[in-house]
Amino acid sequence: MGRYPPDHDDCNVMLYYPDWQGANKACLDDGKEPYYMLSNHKFFLSNTREDCCKKFYEWDYYSCVGTTPALTHGEFYPEWSSTTSTCLNDGNIPTYMLNDQRWYLSTTLRQCCERHFYFNINACLGTSYGGTDKWYVKYQAMTCVQDCVGVSPCGGVANDWDELFSSKEKCCEEKMFYDNKCRVRTA
């Protein structure tokens, strides 16, 4: 009587099992699976490493099978191990982020910063980003301000949803048409 159950049809092929007693990072086919796995072989044993990894290591599938997935959602990822809020594009994407690319990866720096560091987007984009110098309406101040960092007429970096205009006059005309003092008011 062999090590594998009677319904296993090829005694020369080892089946894959989750290595929970070892490094707990992969599926092995060395024939050293614990007895409780043999007694419930239909659940614990798999014909391929991929099947075993999918069943028992879905959270770290690519490490388990020893491959790297194709990047389908960009190469920018959030860097949380440093003290700054930033996104990187250095090819060192953590494995857990590769397993959920839709959430973690972005095609542009701006997308990554908006998704993961919305609370500190300017720091994420870098200090070199100071705006476009175009104009947008700042409703709290009841006037149009410039998309830049600094003293008035700068009103800070505009949000993505702010419509930008080439001049203060044009901004006031389009967005604050009901207020005659928009052009002379400062923020």
Side-chain angles (χ1 to χ4, degrees):
M1 182 164 172
R3 182 158 168 79
Y4 286 108
D7 59 346
H8 178 61
D9 55 3
D10 187 353
C11 292
N12 295 322
V13 176
M14 298 290 187
L15 297 177
Y16 290 88
Y17 68 96
D19 182 27
W20 293 333
Q21 294 177 335
N24 193 19
K25 292 186 178 183
C27 292
L28 301 178
D29 66 343
D30 59 6
K32 296 179 182 175
E33 58 278 321
Y35 185 74
Y36 71 90
M37 290 185 185
L38 288 174
S39 60
N40 192 2
H41 65 277
K42 289 186 180 186
F43 179 75
F44 288 109
L45 304 181
S46 303
N47 288 322
T48 66
R49 181 183 309 269
E50 290 78 11
D51 288 345
C52 178
C53 290
K54 192 178 297 178
K55 188 172 189 177
F56 297 107
Y57 295 98
E58 185 178 10
W59 53 272
D60 199 11
Y61 176 80
Y62 295 104
S63 290
C64 180
V65 295
T67 62
T68 303
L71 298 178
T72 58
H73 288 82
E75 295 180 359
F76 286 92
Y77 68 93
E79 167 56 89
W80 289 315
S81 64
S82 66
T83 57
T84 59
S85 302
T86 189
C87 289
L88 299 177
N89 180 9
D90 61 4
N92 296 320
I93 303 168
T95 305
Y96 73 92
M97 292 184 188
L98 293 173
N99 291 333
D100 192 2
Q101 292 185 38
R102 229 176 276 139
W103 171 248
Y104 290 110
L105 303 186
S106 302
T107 55
T108 67
L109 175 63
R110 179 170 279 283
Q111 285 175 340
C112 181
C113 291
E114 286 173 352
R115 178 178 293 150
H116 301 291
F117 299 108
Y118 60 89
F119 53 88
N120 200 4
I121 194 164
N122 290 334
C124 181
L125 290 171
T127 55
S128 62
Y129 185 76
T132 63
D133 288 334
K134 292 190 176 190
W135 296 81
Y136 68 97
V137 68
K138 193 157 201 160
Y139 290 104
Q140 305 92 323
M142 299 282 297
T143 191
C144 289
V145 294
Q146 206 165 7
D147 178 25
C148 57
V149 178
V151 296
S152 187
C154 291
V157 176
N159 292 309
D160 283 347
W161 57 82
D162 290 320
E163 187 176 356
L164 299 175
F165 298 90
S166 59
S167 68
K168 182 173 184 173
E169 290 72 27
K170 196 140 185 87
C171 175
C172 287
E173 186 179 302
E174 293 275 332
K175 292 293 189 178
M176 301 286 290
F177 57 88
Y178 52 87
D179 186 350
N180 295 342
K181 295 185 180 183
C182 175
R183 289 183 178 97
V184 295
R185 202 176 281 128
T186 59

